[in-house]
Structure formats: structure tokens, C-alpha cells
Amino acid sequence: MQIKENYLLKKLNTFGIQAIAKYFVELNSLNEIQEIVQSKIFKENPFLLLGGGSNILFTKDFDGIVLKINNKGKEIIAVDADHVFLKVQAGEVWDAFVDYCIMNNWSGIENLALIPGIVGTSPVQNIGAYGVEVKDCIESVEVLSIEDGKMTELSNEECKFAYRNSIFKQEAKNKYIITAVTFKFSKKPILITHYGDILKELENMFVSPSLENISNAIKNIRRRKLPDPSFTGNAGSFFKNPLVSKEKYNELLHEYPKIRAFPSGEDYKLAAGWLIEKSGWKGKSLGNAAVHHKQALVLINKGDATGKEIIALAKAVQIAVKGLFGVELEMEVNVV
Ligand code: EPU
């Protein structure tokens, strides 16, 4: 384990923002994670956990120690008639893991194909796409407590999962390092095809629904809509889709009959991409930051954008949407 100083983070965040970490260390095993937490340098400095760097926006240098989680390994820990339980180390790359599950015919996360990041950060914001959230397949999350170095297993319920939210973004923020996640997958395929254009895409591909075909259909849709971070810096959806009351939704529907929304419990979840598009910001730039021209929920780095430029654009978008619809857009990305 080697602690580096003044480490450049540009290649380690999908937004491609230049920022410098005072200290940086890559942790390739659970032992290394445990060792760093006990070290003097860790105890004397603020820390930042970095997985795939796909949901983070640096607005300044980080005056502390950045920990890159990179412990690998997958193990079947139990099997019953219908399920397989798999414990996966935090540093496994998410998308490769999705493919691995499909290859083994284990069903549950095939709709979450092509999401950047690592297994260990998937519970933090409860990643979700195309009708599935990762919480649907999480049995438990193994964590190391920063305070006393103890390892604990949090049940699915204890993680308090919600839309793009969990205990790890709330009261447990900076309290734990997620070291592994245990998943529960179905041995029989449970195919989820109701969301958006999945069925249409399968039809265009001339294939019937299967784990692999659904995953490939979603990959096609994502590749068409979302910018590839290896070419265009971005962190996926920059904002959450806002929840509004039924009254507010009805009011908006009356004024904007084409508004896109989905019922969510008692409330309605509005498609923020639609709101941003209608506010006129889709495809527009502010300095080196822009709203993506195919999916307005995604902000992009046009080249050498700073984090502050991205934030300036985000604020302008928030003001426009609030002005037009009276709805607040909350950032989904973790701003540092
Ligand atoms: N829409 C527009 N204009 C736009 C973008 C979207 O009118 O510029 C409309 C679409 O036509 C559609 C609706 O908004 O009717 C929803 O769009 P889409 O299906 O693309 O999904 P989204 O709500 O914009 C969410 C997730 C994505 C996820 C997709 C698919 C959030 C914050 N984002 O986006 O997640 O891939 O659904 O399930 O919930 C991410 O979190 O980084 C991410 C990419």
C-alpha cells in the first residue's frame, strides 16, 4: 500500500474535472482498508471515498486523503431452491459484475447494465434504471466502522433504501466504509420489460425477452441517449427526478398536458429531463459546461470545465425550472 502525495484526480472522476488530492491511496484488499483506517495519516486528515468516480463533482482540491476502493472477489455463500446468495467485494466493477450474473443465469440486476461505478458504491445512492433499483437484490451490506474499526453487516432494512437514497447518504455518511455487498438473485429469470422503450428495442433487435437480450436492449438505449464518459465528461443524471404532491401534479398537468410523470406512492415523480428541456436549457452551454443535447438530465464537461462551471450551469438550470414550474431540482451528484 503506497500513499501518494499531490495526486491528480482528473482520470479518476467520470466528469474529468482536474483536482488534486493532498494524499491518495489505492486499497486492494480488506486488510489494506483496515490498515489505513488505523493509520496516523487517516486519523489526522479528512477522508474521501472514491469508487468509480462516477457520481462525484470536484469543485476544489481535496485537502485530505482520498481512498480508492479496489478490493476484488465474488463468492457464493448460500443457495436455496430459488435463489443464489453472492457476496461481492466492494471494488468489483459494476457493469462487469452485471455481465457475470447474466452469464450465470442469475436474475435481478440485468436492467442495471452499463451503469458506471463499482459494487461498493451501488447501495449508497441505490442505483436504479429501467424499472429496477439495486435495493431489490441487496440482502445485506458489509461495512467497516470508521470510529472503532469494527466490521458489521447491515440488513437491507437497516440501509433505509429509497429513491436515489440510503442511510449512507444520510445519518451514516462518513461513518462507514462499505467493504462488500451480499446480493440475492433469482435462479429463474424474472424479466422486467415494462419501462420505457425496452419492448420496442427488443422488437427492433428481432429477439425475445431473456436476461441477455434485455440487458443488450438497455445497453443500446443507454448508448444512444447517454454520453460515454470516456469521451465526454459527465456523471449520469445530475439531478434527481423531483417528487411533488398530487395537487401540485394536477396543477402542472392542467397547464402542461404533456408533462412526463410517474405515480410514486401518494406523490408523483416528475421527469426532470422534460422540465429542463421545456425550460429551454437542453443542449445549451454556460462556459465549458453544457446540458446534454439528447438527455437534459445530464450535464457534461465540454473540455476543460471546472467543477465551479458545472455548478454555475446547474444553478442556472435550477433557477429556470423553479421559475417556470415552481419545482426544486435536487442535485443527485455528490459535490466535493
Ligand atoms: N425526457 C425529456 N427530455 C429529456 C430527457 C427525458 O422529455 O431531455 C423525458 C423522456 O422522454 C421520458 C422521461 O423524460 O418520457 C424519462 O426519461 P428517461 O427514461 O430517459 O429517464 P430519466 O427519468 O430521465 C432516470 C434515471 C436514469 C436512468 C433512467 C432509465 C434518475 C435521476 N435518473 O432518468 O439514471 O438511466 O431513468 O431508467 O432517476 C443516473 O442516475 O445517472 C441515470 C442515468
Side-chain angles (χ1 to χ4, degrees), residues 275-296:
L275 301 176
I276 298 170
E277 183 170 342
K278 287 296 152 209
S279 79
W281 273 98
K282 192 170 183 173
K284 296 267 168 61
S285 306
L286 196 63
N288 286 311
V291 178
H292 189 53
H293 66 288
K294 289 187 191 155
Q295 166 46 296

PDB file of all heavy atoms in Angstrom, residues 275-296:
ATOM      1  N   LEU A 275     -38.686  18.642 -17.722  1.00  0.00           N
ATOM      2  CA  LEU A 275     -38.791  20.010 -17.157  1.00  0.00           C
ATOM      3  C   LEU A 275     -37.636  20.876 -17.672  1.00  0.00           C
ATOM      4  O   LEU A 275     -37.837  22.029 -18.069  1.00  0.00           O
ATOM      5  CB  LEU A 275     -38.729  19.976 -15.619  1.00  0.00           C
ATOM      6  CG  LEU A 275     -39.779  19.160 -14.868  1.00  0.00           C
ATOM      7  CD1 LEU A 275     -39.495  19.175 -13.370  1.00  0.00           C
ATOM      8  CD2 LEU A 275     -41.183  19.700 -15.142  1.00  0.00           C
ATOM      9  N   ILE A 276     -36.440  20.297 -17.685  1.00  0.00           N
ATOM     10  CA  ILE A 276     -35.261  21.068 -18.116  1.00  0.00           C
ATOM     11  C   ILE A 276     -35.367  21.388 -19.609  1.00  0.00           C
ATOM     12  O   ILE A 276     -35.109  22.512 -20.041  1.00  0.00           O
ATOM     13  CB  ILE A 276     -33.950  20.288 -17.809  1.00  0.00           C
ATOM     14  CG1 ILE A 276     -33.806  20.076 -16.299  1.00  0.00           C
ATOM     15  CG2 ILE A 276     -32.725  21.029 -18.369  1.00  0.00           C
ATOM     16  CD1 ILE A 276     -32.698  19.116 -15.889  1.00  0.00           C
ATOM     17  N   GLU A 277     -35.824  20.378 -20.368  1.00  0.00           N
ATOM     18  CA  GLU A 277     -35.991  20.618 -21.811  1.00  0.00           C
ATOM     19  C   GLU A 277     -36.977  21.769 -22.042  1.00  0.00           C
ATOM     20  O   GLU A 277     -36.715  22.690 -22.816  1.00  0.00           O
ATOM     21  CB  GLU A 277     -36.480  19.335 -22.492  1.00  0.00           C
ATOM     22  CG  GLU A 277     -36.603  19.498 -23.987  1.00  0.00           C
ATOM     23  CD  GLU A 277     -36.841  18.172 -24.728  1.00  0.00           C
ATOM     24  OE1 GLU A 277     -36.585  17.093 -24.175  1.00  0.00           O
ATOM     25  OE2 GLU A 277     -37.272  18.265 -25.891  1.00  0.00           O
ATOM     26  N   LYS A 278     -38.117  21.718 -21.332  1.00  0.00           N
ATOM     27  CA  LYS A 278     -39.142  22.761 -21.519  1.00  0.00           C
ATOM     28  C   LYS A 278     -38.654  24.121 -21.035  1.00  0.00           C
ATOM     29  O   LYS A 278     -39.127  25.160 -21.497  1.00  0.00           O
ATOM     30  CB  LYS A 278     -40.431  22.402 -20.759  1.00  0.00           C
ATOM     31  CG  LYS A 278     -41.196  21.294 -21.392  1.00  0.00           C
ATOM     32  CD  LYS A 278     -41.726  21.662 -22.785  1.00  0.00           C
ATOM     33  CE  LYS A 278     -41.852  20.416 -23.618  1.00  0.00           C
ATOM     34  NZ  LYS A 278     -41.704  20.501 -25.027  1.00  0.00           N
ATOM     35  N   SER A 279     -37.702  24.131 -20.108  1.00  0.00           N
ATOM     36  CA  SER A 279     -37.188  25.413 -19.616  1.00  0.00           C
ATOM     37  C   SER A 279     -36.214  26.031 -20.614  1.00  0.00           C
ATOM     38  O   SER A 279     -35.731  27.141 -20.415  1.00  0.00           O
ATOM     39  CB  SER A 279     -36.505  25.229 -18.252  1.00  0.00           C
ATOM     40  OG  SER A 279     -35.206  24.687 -18.448  1.00  0.00           O
ATOM     41  N   GLY A 280     -35.899  25.275 -21.671  1.00  0.00           N
ATOM     42  CA  GLY A 280     -35.078  25.826 -22.752  1.00  0.00           C
ATOM     43  C   GLY A 280     -33.584  25.543 -22.634  1.00  0.00           C
ATOM     44  O   GLY A 280     -32.799  25.981 -23.468  1.00  0.00           O
ATOM     45  N   TRP A 281     -33.182  24.763 -21.620  1.00  0.00           N
ATOM     46  CA  TRP A 281     -31.740  24.568 -21.401  1.00  0.00           C
ATOM     47  C   TRP A 281     -31.134  23.367 -22.145  1.00  0.00           C
ATOM     48  O   TRP A 281     -29.924  23.223 -22.192  1.00  0.00           O
ATOM     49  CB  TRP A 281     -31.462  24.446 -19.901  1.00  0.00           C
ATOM     50  CG  TRP A 281     -31.250  25.792 -19.274  1.00  0.00           C
ATOM     51  CD1 TRP A 281     -32.173  26.531 -18.601  1.00  0.00           C
ATOM     52  CD2 TRP A 281     -30.048  26.589 -19.305  1.00  0.00           C
ATOM     53  NE1 TRP A 281     -31.621  27.730 -18.200  1.00  0.00           N
ATOM     54  CE2 TRP A 281     -30.312  27.778 -18.617  1.00  0.00           C
ATOM     55  CE3 TRP A 281     -28.780  26.400 -19.849  1.00  0.00           C
ATOM     56  CZ2 TRP A 281     -29.360  28.784 -18.458  1.00  0.00           C
ATOM     57  CZ3 TRP A 281     -27.822  27.400 -19.679  1.00  0.00           C
ATOM     58  CH2 TRP A 281     -28.122  28.577 -19.004  1.00  0.00           C
ATOM     59  N   LYS A 282     -31.955  22.514 -22.707  1.00  0.00           N
ATOM     60  CA  LYS A 282     -31.404  21.304 -23.358  1.00  0.00           C
ATOM     61  C   LYS A 282     -30.410  21.705 -24.445  1.00  0.00           C
ATOM     62  O   LYS A 282     -30.729  22.532 -25.307  1.00  0.00           O
ATOM     63  CB  LYS A 282     -32.536  20.464 -23.944  1.00  0.00           C
ATOM     64  CG  LYS A 282     -32.092  19.069 -24.366  1.00  0.00           C
ATOM     65  CD  LYS A 282     -33.291  18.217 -24.698  1.00  0.00           C
ATOM     66  CE  LYS A 282     -32.878  16.807 -25.051  1.00  0.00           C
ATOM     67  NZ  LYS A 282     -34.028  15.922 -25.206  1.00  0.00           N
ATOM     68  N   GLY A 283     -29.211  21.158 -24.407  1.00  0.00           N
ATOM     69  CA  GLY A 283     -28.195  21.441 -25.431  1.00  0.00           C
ATOM     70  C   GLY A 283     -27.474  22.772 -25.250  1.00  0.00           C
ATOM     71  O   GLY A 283     -26.552  23.075 -26.003  1.00  0.00           O
ATOM     72  N   LYS A 284     -27.875  23.554 -24.245  1.00  0.00           N
ATOM     73  CA  LYS A 284     -27.256  24.882 -24.048  1.00  0.00           C
ATOM     74  C   LYS A 284     -26.008  24.783 -23.167  1.00  0.00           C
ATOM     75  O   LYS A 284     -25.873  23.881 -22.359  1.00  0.00           O
ATOM     76  CB  LYS A 284     -28.265  25.827 -23.372  1.00  0.00           C
ATOM     77  CG  LYS A 284     -29.494  26.123 -24.195  1.00  0.00           C
ATOM     78  CD  LYS A 284     -29.290  27.409 -25.018  1.00  0.00           C
ATOM     79  CE  LYS A 284     -30.361  27.590 -26.083  1.00  0.00           C
ATOM     80  NZ  LYS A 284     -31.713  27.703 -25.535  1.00  0.00           N
ATOM     81  N   SER A 285     -25.116  25.780 -23.362  1.00  0.00           N
ATOM     82  CA  SER A 285     -23.860  25.797 -22.594  1.00  0.00           C
ATOM     83  C   SER A 285     -23.776  27.020 -21.709  1.00  0.00           C
ATOM     84  O   SER A 285     -24.402  28.043 -21.986  1.00  0.00           O
ATOM     85  CB  SER A 285     -22.648  25.870 -23.527  1.00  0.00           C
ATOM     86  OG  SER A 285     -22.684  24.859 -24.467  1.00  0.00           O
ATOM     87  N   LEU A 286     -22.938  26.895 -20.713  1.00  0.00           N
ATOM     88  CA  LEU A 286     -22.531  28.043 -19.907  1.00  0.00           C
ATOM     89  C   LEU A 286     -21.035  27.797 -19.694  1.00  0.00           C
ATOM     90  O   LEU A 286     -20.655  26.835 -19.020  1.00  0.00           O
ATOM     91  CB  LEU A 286     -23.296  28.044 -18.581  1.00  0.00           C
ATOM     92  CG  LEU A 286     -23.296  29.333 -17.776  1.00  0.00           C
ATOM     93  CD1 LEU A 286     -23.976  30.473 -18.539  1.00  0.00           C
ATOM     94  CD2 LEU A 286     -24.045  29.121 -16.455  1.00  0.00           C
ATOM     95  N   GLY A 287     -20.197  28.616 -20.318  1.00  0.00           N
ATOM     96  CA  GLY A 287     -18.756  28.362 -20.267  1.00  0.00           C
ATOM     97  C   GLY A 287     -18.455  26.997 -20.855  1.00  0.00           C
ATOM     98  O   GLY A 287     -18.973  26.634 -21.921  1.00  0.00           O
ATOM     99  N   ASN A 288     -17.675  26.204 -20.142  1.00  0.00           N
ATOM    100  CA  ASN A 288     -17.291  24.877 -20.645  1.00  0.00           C
ATOM    101  C   ASN A 288     -18.234  23.764 -20.185  1.00  0.00           C
ATOM    102  O   ASN A 288     -17.916  22.585 -20.353  1.00  0.00           O
ATOM    103  CB  ASN A 288     -15.874  24.544 -20.180  1.00  0.00           C
ATOM    104  CG  ASN A 288     -14.843  25.346 -20.947  1.00  0.00           C
ATOM    105  OD1 ASN A 288     -14.875  25.401 -22.179  1.00  0.00           O
ATOM    106  ND2 ASN A 288     -13.945  25.995 -20.226  1.00  0.00           N
ATOM    107  N   ALA A 289     -19.345  24.169 -19.599  1.00  0.00           N
ATOM    108  CA  ALA A 289     -20.309  23.157 -19.144  1.00  0.00           C
ATOM    109  C   ALA A 289     -21.540  23.233 -20.034  1.00  0.00           C
ATOM    110  O   ALA A 289     -21.897  24.302 -20.520  1.00  0.00           O
ATOM    111  CB  ALA A 289     -20.703  23.439 -17.699  1.00  0.00           C
ATOM    112  N   ALA A 290     -22.188  22.086 -20.249  1.00  0.00           N
ATOM    113  CA  ALA A 290     -23.383  22.099 -21.100  1.00  0.00           C
ATOM    114  C   ALA A 290     -24.416  21.103 -20.603  1.00  0.00           C
ATOM    115  O   ALA A 290     -24.100  20.144 -19.889  1.00  0.00           O
ATOM    116  CB  ALA A 290     -23.003  21.751 -22.543  1.00  0.00           C
ATOM    117  N   VAL A 291     -25.658  21.356 -21.027  1.00  0.00           N
ATOM    118  CA  VAL A 291     -26.735  20.389 -20.797  1.00  0.00           C
ATOM    119  C   VAL A 291     -26.727  19.475 -22.025  1.00  0.00           C
ATOM    120  O   VAL A 291     -26.748  19.958 -23.159  1.00  0.00           O
ATOM    121  CB  VAL A 291     -28.101  21.110 -20.669  1.00  0.00           C
ATOM    122  CG1 VAL A 291     -29.230  20.101 -20.481  1.00  0.00           C
ATOM    123  CG2 VAL A 291     -28.071  22.107 -19.507  1.00  0.00           C
ATOM    124  N   HIS A 292     -26.676  18.184 -21.796  1.00  0.00           N
ATOM    125  CA  HIS A 292     -26.535  17.237 -22.918  1.00  0.00           C
ATOM    126  C   HIS A 292     -27.692  17.398 -23.918  1.00  0.00           C
ATOM    127  O   HIS A 292     -28.838  17.600 -23.511  1.00  0.00           O
ATOM    128  CB  HIS A 292     -26.494  15.814 -22.368  1.00  0.00           C
ATOM    129  CG  HIS A 292     -26.131  14.790 -23.399  1.00  0.00           C
ATOM    130  ND1 HIS A 292     -25.017  14.883 -24.183  1.00  0.00           N
ATOM    131  CD2 HIS A 292     -26.749  13.646 -23.758  1.00  0.00           C
ATOM    132  CE1 HIS A 292     -24.963  13.842 -24.992  1.00  0.00           C
ATOM    133  NE2 HIS A 292     -26.001  13.079 -24.762  1.00  0.00           N
ATOM    134  N   HIS A 293     -27.374  17.299 -25.197  1.00  0.00           N
ATOM    135  CA  HIS A 293     -28.402  17.575 -26.205  1.00  0.00           C
ATOM    136  C   HIS A 293     -29.386  16.421 -26.401  1.00  0.00           C
ATOM    137  O   HIS A 293     -30.435  16.593 -27.009  1.00  0.00           O
ATOM    138  CB  HIS A 293     -27.756  17.972 -27.544  1.00  0.00           C
ATOM    139  CG  HIS A 293     -26.986  16.849 -28.168  1.00  0.00           C
ATOM    140  ND1 HIS A 293     -25.784  16.408 -27.656  1.00  0.00           N
ATOM    141  CD2 HIS A 293     -27.249  16.063 -29.240  1.00  0.00           C
ATOM    142  CE1 HIS A 293     -25.353  15.406 -28.408  1.00  0.00           C
ATOM    143  NE2 HIS A 293     -26.213  15.171 -29.365  1.00  0.00           N
ATOM    144  N   LYS A 294     -29.053  15.217 -25.879  1.00  0.00           N
ATOM    145  CA  LYS A 294     -30.001  14.104 -26.045  1.00  0.00           C
ATOM    146  C   LYS A 294     -30.743  13.763 -24.759  1.00  0.00           C
ATOM    147  O   LYS A 294     -31.772  13.093 -24.800  1.00  0.00           O
ATOM    148  CB  LYS A 294     -29.256  12.851 -26.497  1.00  0.00           C
ATOM    149  CG  LYS A 294     -28.758  12.942 -27.915  1.00  0.00           C
ATOM    150  CD  LYS A 294     -28.196  11.614 -28.320  1.00  0.00           C
ATOM    151  CE  LYS A 294     -27.438  11.698 -29.619  1.00  0.00           C
ATOM    152  NZ  LYS A 294     -26.445  10.626 -29.717  1.00  0.00           N
ATOM    153  N   GLN A 295     -30.187  14.125 -23.612  1.00  0.00           N
ATOM    154  CA  GLN A 295     -30.823  13.806 -22.318  1.00  0.00           C
ATOM    155  C   GLN A 295     -30.515  14.974 -21.380  1.00  0.00           C
ATOM    156  O   GLN A 295     -29.401  15.113 -20.880  1.00  0.00           O
ATOM    157  CB  GLN A 295     -30.287  12.450 -21.832  1.00  0.00           C
ATOM    158  CG  GLN A 295     -30.518  12.018 -20.403  1.00  0.00           C
ATOM    159  CD  GLN A 295     -31.904  12.184 -19.848  1.00  0.00           C
ATOM    160  OE1 GLN A 295     -32.394  13.302 -19.724  1.00  0.00           O
ATOM    161  NE2 GLN A 295     -32.545  11.077 -19.485  1.00  0.00           N
ATOM    162  N   ALA A 296     -31.539  15.816 -21.153  1.00  0.00           N
ATOM    163  CA  ALA A 296     -31.318  17.081 -20.446  1.00  0.00           C
ATOM    164  C   ALA A 296     -30.998  16.914 -18.962  1.00  0.00           C
ATOM    165  O   ALA A 296     -30.593  17.867 -18.307  1.00  0.00           O
ATOM    166  CB  ALA A 296     -32.555  17.969 -20.611  1.00  0.00           C
TER     167      ALA A 296
END
